[in-house]
């Protein structure tokens, strides 16, 4: 077997919770993970896309191009059926640009008050895009990176009456995945890691990366 | 271990060469492959997208929606540097809608005659999209399918002076992958299956499917 250098992979998110989930899922692959914090002068990418896919692609491509390192970009959101799928792709900006996770969950619960007749069904969606260079021998890093994989994961569930639990981040304390009574704020990392939208998208991404590392 | 039914997966292409490559790559997964030929009344999807990704997504989504079966859609093309990336996403229609593979390769060689100073570099691109339903228990097949994975593979190479070999299909007889002297029309299925654009996209798709089958 010939020597293969470890692939450098930039985790293109500032969210510590996401970074941890990515580290967990990718820990057995021959990767050297890099982080945005290592690049203080990097330009932040505005999430101007209309879909999770578009935002994940925007981030992965821009960060890979700025750093010359393969990058994973992600976007996710919560779709509440009673709100016609909102906040959806705007989940992270729901309640204003500078709102905290707590502000956002409280605002969502307020908006949902008139809909409290039965179960308020919802789903989390996560999209992860990989931008990079397929063959380092023929495509030097002076070429633009290309999106080589995009994986989407979904997790069906319902909105809790009030926030419960302190684990996770974002809307986790008010989201009860189907088949459970606890919220993502209460469920263990192991359980969340087996059924969450991000876990599913990450698992597919790991499948892609495993094959990618073998082929290149 | 609980019993898991085999996932039905529709191979959404009429191209016999592509079908064989897909069968080869997916043969070890617990899938029941289905084919467009089994659905004589299905409406053919027009490839109106501007990118390989858009066309692969259009096909996978439409065929999954029409049949209620998870579907793989694909699109591919040949990008010749001397032609600014053409024929690219229009590769299958180069030379007219009803042109044969032979018509198309002959036309391309004619167009390239004035560019025959040195090596004519090119690349094959293939994009494969998976449309389906993530969790059969909570999302009955009455909901619309969703794109859960998109994988892209590239293969760098050069255009031969004339067609060589009878293996493969499309532009294979005039494409020489980097590191080889033979065209894809001459190289064995094993070699092509290890380095082609479609092999790379399929390999990533297999990685996704392996994880998807585990999780659902």
């Amino acid at each position: 077997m010939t020597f293969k250098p470890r692939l450098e992979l930039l985790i293109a998110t500032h969210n510590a919770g996401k970074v941890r989930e990515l580290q967990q899922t990718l820990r057995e692959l021959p990767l050297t993970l890099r982080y945005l914090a290592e690049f203080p002068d990097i330009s932040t990418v505005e999430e101007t896309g209309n879909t999770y896919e578009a935002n994940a692609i925007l981030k992965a491509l821009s960060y890979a191009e700025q750093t010359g390192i393969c990058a994973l970009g992600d976007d996710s959101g919560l779709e509440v059926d009673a709100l016609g799928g909102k906040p959806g792709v705007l989940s992270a900006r729901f309640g204003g640009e500078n709102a905290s996770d707590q502000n956002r969950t409280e605002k969502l619960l307020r908006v949902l008050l008139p809909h409290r007749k039965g179960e308020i069904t919802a789903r989390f969606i996560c999209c992860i895009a990989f931008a990079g260079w397929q063959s380092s021998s023929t495509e030097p890093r002076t070429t633009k990176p290309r999106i080589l994989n995009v994986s989407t994961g979904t997790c069906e569930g319902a909105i809790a009456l009030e926030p419960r639990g302190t684990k996770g981040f974002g809307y986790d304390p008010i989201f009860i995945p189907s088949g459970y009574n606890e919220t993502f704020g209460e469920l263990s990392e192991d359980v969340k890691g087996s059924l969450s939208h991000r876990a599913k998208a990450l698992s597919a991404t790991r499948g892609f990366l495993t094959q990618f590392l073998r082929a290149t």
Side-chain angles (χ1 to χ4, degrees), chain A:
Chain A
M1 181 153 167
T2 53
F3 170 75
K4 285 190 183 178
R6 292 166 71 92
L7 182 76
E8 286 191 299
L9 181 61
L10 177 66
I11 304 301
T13 173
H14 287 289
N15 183 310
K18 291 185 190 174
V19 167
R20 199 167 54 246
E21 287 187 15
L22 278 143
Q23 286 170 327
Q24 280 289 322
T25 307
L26 303 178
R27 67 183 179 278
E28 281 162 22
L29 295 182
L31 298 166
T32 299
L33 295 184
R34 305 288 303 271
Y35 303 95
L36 286 182
E38 298 175 51
F39 302 91
D41 297 332
I42 210 162
S43 302
T44 301
V45 179
E46 295 299 324
E47 303 185 20
T48 53
N50 292 321
T51 61
Y52 311 107
E53 288 82 0
N55 282 327
I57 287 171
L58 272 175
K59 285 192 264 187
L61 272 182
S62 167
Y63 290 127
E65 196 172 351
Q66 289 189 67
T67 61
I69 297 172
C70 295
L72 286 184
D74 85 299
D75 194 34
S76 52
L78 178 65
E79 297 182 352
V80 181
D81 291 324
L83 304 178
K86 287 187 183 167
V89 74
L90 300 172
S91 294
R93 280 152 285 172
F94 190 67
E97 288 293 336
N98 297 312
S100 65
D101 281 354
Q102 199 186 336
N103 295 155
R104 275 190 283 270
T105 53
E106 282 171 358
K107 181 177 173 195
L108 185 58
L109 290 176
R110 265 200 314 278
V111 170
L112 285 172
L113 272 179
H115 300 277
R116 286 282 173 201
K117 286 150 251 161
E119 191 182 50
I120 293 181
T121 53
R123 71 198 52 74
F124 263 134
I125 317 274
C126 175
C127 183
I128 298 179
F130 174 92
W133 294 263
Q134 191 130 46
S135 77
S136 51
S137 55
T138 55
E139 281 191 89
R141 292 294 160 87
T142 50
T143 63
K144 291 208 173 203
R146 191 187 289 271
I147 291 292
L148 295 178
N149 198 74
V150 181
S151 295
T152 300
T154 68
C155 182
E156 299 286 324
I159 304 298
L161 291 166
E162 55 186 9
R164 299 200 315 253
T166 54
K167 298 197 181 80
F169 55 90
Y171 296 96
D172 281 353
I174 61 167
F175 184 81
I176 305 168
S178 295
Y180 291 81
N181 296 312
E182 299 88 354
T183 68
F184 269 156
E186 297 172 307
L187 288 164
S188 72
E189 277 196 10
D190 274 3
V191 173
K192 190 183 170 197
S194 73
L195 58 85
S196 82
H197 53 311
R198 188 166 295 101
K200 287 172 188 163
L202 259 177
S203 164
T205 300
R206 187 181 55 187
F208 157 75
L209 282 171
T210 303
Q211 297 292 349
F212 179 77
L213 291 166
R214 246 178 242 166
T216 49

